Amino acid sequence: MITTLFKNIVKDNVVKIVLTIFIVLLFFRQPNLRDIDVNTILILFNLMLIIEIVKETNILNYFSALIINHVSNSRQITAWLVLLSFVGSMIVTNDVAIITLVPLYILIAKQYQLKIAYPVSLITIAANLGSAVTPIGNPQNVFLVEYYRIGFIQFMSQSIQLLLIGIIIMMILVNLSHKKYISAQSTKPILIKISDVIWVYGLFILVLLSQFKVISILVPLILVIWKSAKVNVQMIKKIDYSLLVTFVFFFLIVGMIGRMPIVSEAIYHLIKTPQSTFLTSIGISQIISNVPCAVLIAKFYSHFSAIYWGVSIGGLGTLVASLANLLAFKQVSIYAKDEKSSFIKIFTGLNIVLLIFLIIIKIILI
């Protein structure tokens, strides 16, 4: 089992890229294991294992059938999942929304031969935009609110504008999606155990509580492993460990870059005004993602609004601009391998257009 897992990790192209970057940086800076956010790694492990439980216990199939029985075409399916992603990410974070909804959509798409790349791109964009609206929607918001001691009203005075823009954008994009009519014939009834649903719901709540340091991450970790072993012990080896390894190297790389004097000096000179800070936050997010960007920039600048808008909009763009983007790509890689190339093209194209549009809107109108 361990040999197979190792081979799968080594074969992963994303792992190869981050490992190469890591090796190159070793010539300039020593890594520090304290840069690894172990809590985030364990949270991702928990979430991925919970999704395996959801699949194994037929809960995913149940909700798939529930949606199918209440829609008449593929555009309505996309609209429902985009709405769930946009609203759900405000409460349960963009990562949870992605890990839950992308596999659900792909399951439905395969059943009815629907397009995958464009709808999954919309679900991901919706998760990024929706999560930016609340203080708990994503890790960078949690950090910025705590770091700058921002009150709820003050935060919402900024995010409400992004909420309105996000709603308009997602409505337009959903209406541009493919519309394939689906047979009105109901799907076969799928039986699920209420106890399994309660367990999954409870595990999700425990993971969220651990994310906000209400309880120790060890509590959901132990319970998730126990429950998965009880349902089907083979689920544990189905986890995408290459994603976890990618995140480990990602944290190490960001820490090494952040400690380079030339980088610190460059950032200091780039963030002298709110507008330059806004643009710099977007640029850095494209390279190291918006969460570490928020942590990095906050050390040099005291203007919350500029950084908030920069890392929120900066989640759009490249695949690495947001960790949620990488999660979406990994879900496509696992559940729809043939769509990987198409997803990258459509996702990147859409994100770049939206990124440029939102930058212009922020600079000119807001």
Side-chain angles (χ1 to χ4, degrees), residues 190-211:
I190 295 174
L191 300 177
I192 57 173
K193 295 180 181 178
I194 297 300
S195 60
D196 287 333
V197 177
I198 294 173
W199 260 103
V200 167
Y201 181 77
L203 291 174
F204 265 125
I205 295 296
L206 290 175
V207 172
L208 289 174
L209 289 175
S210 69
Q211 183 174 13

Side-chain angles (χ1 to χ4, degrees), residues 313 316 350-361:
I313 295 176
L316 303 173
L350 267 176
N351 271 265
I352 289 174
V353 170
L354 288 177
L355 179 61
I356 294 171
F357 172 73
L358 287 172
I359 289 173
I360 294 171
I361 290 293

Side-chain angles (χ1 to χ4, degrees), residues 75-243:
R75 187 177 295 169
Q76 290 178 348
I77 294 173
T78 301
W80 271 109
L81 288 172
V82 165
L83 177 64
L84 286 172
S85 180
F86 189 75
V87 176
S89 63
M90 299 180 194
I91 304 166
V92 300
T93 77
N94 52 354
D95 296 342
V96 176
I98 293 294
I99 290 179
T100 306
L101 297 176
V102 170
L104 175 58
Y105 176 79
I106 293 176
L107 176 65
I108 296 172
K110 285 186 173 181
Q111 287 176 344
Y112 293 89
Q113 292 77 53
L114 307 179
K115 294 184 181 297
I116 290 177
Y118 185 78
V120 170
S121 295
L122 296 196
I123 292 169
T124 308
I125 292 169
N128 281 325
L129 291 177
S131 69
V133 175
T134 64
I136 62 170
N138 54 49
Q140 64 266 27
N141 282 2
V142 174
F143 168 76
L144 290 173
V145 167
E146 192 169 316
Y147 188 84
Y148 288 108
R149 298 291 187 267
I150 300 297
F152 181 77
I153 300 300
Q154 185 181 354
F155 179 89
M156 293 306 295
S157 68
Q158 294 291 326
S159 67
I160 193 69
Q161 301 167 68
L162 194 54
L163 170 64
L164 297 175
I165 295 171
I167 290 173
I168 295 170
I169 287 174
M170 296 319 304
M171 286 176 65
I172 294 171
L173 292 178
V174 167
N175 277 290
L176 293 175
S177 64
H178 182 66
K179 189 175 184 179
K180 176 183 177 180
Y181 286 95
I182 295 173
S183 172
Q185 177 182 334
S186 295
T187 56
K188 294 179 181 179
I190 295 174
L191 300 177
I192 57 173
K193 295 180 181 178
I194 297 300
S195 60
D196 287 333
V197 177
I198 294 173
W199 260 103
V200 167
Y201 181 77
L203 291 174
F204 265 125
I205 295 296
L206 290 175
V207 172
L208 289 174
L209 289 175
S210 69
Q211 183 174 13
F212 297 114
K213 307 296 189 297
V214 176
I215 61 174
S216 168
I217 186 62
L218 294 178
V219 175
L221 178 64
I222 293 170
L223 289 174
V224 168
I225 292 175
W226 176 80
K227 179 61 178 176
S228 62
K230 187 177 180 183
V231 174
N232 183 355
V233 73
Q234 295 299 313
M235 287 190 297
I236 297 175
K237 72 177 184 180
K238 293 181 181 179
I239 295 298
D240 182 17
Y241 290 98
S242 63
L243 177 63

